[in-house]
Amino acid sequence: MKKSKPEFIFEKIEKYTKNLKVPLNSLIAIKRNSDFSILISAILSTRTKDEVTAKVLKNFLKRIKDFYDLREIKLDELEKIIYPIGFYRNKARILKRLAEVILEDYSGKIPGEFNELIKLPGVGRKVANLVLQEIFKKDEICVDTHVHRISNRLGWIKTKNPKETEENLKAIFRKKYWKRINKTLVAFGQGICKPVKPSCEICPVEEFCPKILS
């Protein structure tokens, strides 16, 4: 099957980003520790830069290894551990509730269905899709700010929110691309296609970009 234009452009971006040194790489290396760390990192990273999340997650995992440790740790101690994270007090309370729900309602296991995942404290559409993609190897598209912004900037889609972006991207990309989209566009957004002052002069797909700014 012939590639669509967005797929062709995406592959150029993907090839280029494999050699980029960006904060995402450090976070990926740490969170691969376990399914537990993947879910925790996804919740911690919301509205927080990857470089901050990576440092906090590393310290977090030294003290808290699983949902049992998370349930037992005192709230004030947890707050101190995740302090640099945005909204750390609120996230500490969310993580404590998450541990209780996972242990009591799911026998300590992270559920593998979207409708169950979004019932969990701190888990919205983005985090649920990331968990399905990274833990359960399902074909999903995780839409964060980079994916939403770059997809619209490149003119692939014209959407107002992440849910619309997810649905539209699924319509124009074949399934084999879905799991690759988040990692690639996040790296691209951190290293090249930044929100302000993107590095268009070294962009591998500058000739195809209509430069639609939000």
Side-chain angles (χ1 to χ4, degrees):
M1 184 182 292
K2 188 177 180 180
K3 299 172 189 174
S4 67
K5 187 175 180 180
E7 290 173 345
F8 172 78
I9 295 171
F10 175 80
E11 287 186 358
K12 281 184 168 291
I13 294 172
E14 185 176 45
K15 182 178 180 180
Y16 186 85
T17 56
K18 286 180 179 178
N19 297 316
L20 280 179
K21 293 182 179 180
V22 293
L24 174 68
N25 296 337
S26 297
L27 180 57
I28 288 174
I30 298 169
K31 73 179 182 179
R32 281 179 175 163
N33 181 279
S34 66
D35 292 352
F36 171 74
S37 61
I38 289 172
L39 175 56
I40 297 301
S41 70
I43 294 173
L44 291 177
S45 67
T46 304
R47 297 185 182 181
T48 304
K49 292 182 178 180
D50 281 349
E51 54 265 42
V52 176
T53 303
K55 290 178 182 178
V56 170
L57 183 63
K58 188 174 182 179
N59 291 329
F60 181 99
L61 294 174
K62 288 178 182 177
R63 172 67 177 81
I64 305 167
K65 308 294 185 184
D66 52 34
F67 291 112
Y68 293 98
D69 288 345
L70 183 54
R71 182 176 63 180
E72 297 305 315
I73 193 170
K74 292 183 179 179
L75 180 62
D76 61 346
E77 185 178 352
L78 179 58
E79 288 178 351
K80 289 177 183 177
I81 292 173
I82 69 169
Y83 164 67
I85 291 288
F87 306 96
Y88 72 97
R89 285 197 176 93
N90 186 47
K91 286 181 182 177
R93 290 192 291 271
I94 286 171
L95 290 175
K96 292 288 287 180
R97 294 203 305 272
L98 175 70
E100 291 288 347
V101 172
I102 289 284
L103 291 170
E104 293 179 9
D105 298 346
Y106 297 94
S107 302
K109 303 291 183 181
I110 299 170
E113 299 296 330
F114 180 84
N115 289 335
E116 292 301 313
L117 282 166
I118 59 174
K119 293 177 183 177
L120 300 176
V123 177
R125 190 171 197 90
K126 183 190 82 169
V127 172
N129 281 332
L130 188 68
V131 167
L132 292 174
Q133 169 182 309
E134 295 195 1
I135 296 178
F136 298 98
K137 311 305 178 187
K138 293 185 179 182
D139 293 314
E140 296 293 346
I141 298 179
C142 174
V143 177
D144 72 347
T145 182
H146 294 288
V147 174
H148 177 72
R149 174 174 55 79
I150 293 171
S151 297
N152 278 276
R153 178 176 283 178
L154 285 167
W156 292 345
I157 57 177
K158 187 177 181 180
T159 57
K160 295 181 179 179
N161 58 66
K163 188 174 186 295
E164 286 182 6
T165 297
E166 179 190 331
E167 292 169 349
N168 278 256
L169 289 177
K170 284 183 175 180
I172 63 176
F173 280 91
R174 285 173 287 169
K175 271 192 175 184
K176 71 176 187 176
Y177 291 93
W178 292 4
K179 285 189 288 189
R180 296 149 56 186
I181 287 174
N182 182 266
K183 178 183 176 181
T184 297
L185 294 189
V186 169
F188 190 54
Q190 290 179 348
I192 302 295
C193 196
K194 299 175 182 179
V196 180
K197 296 183 179 180
S199 302
C200 298
E201 69 279 3
I202 59 172
C203 175
V205 296
E206 194 272 340
E207 62 182 304
F208 305 107
C209 183
K211 299 180 177 63
I212 300 171
L213 301 178
S214 57

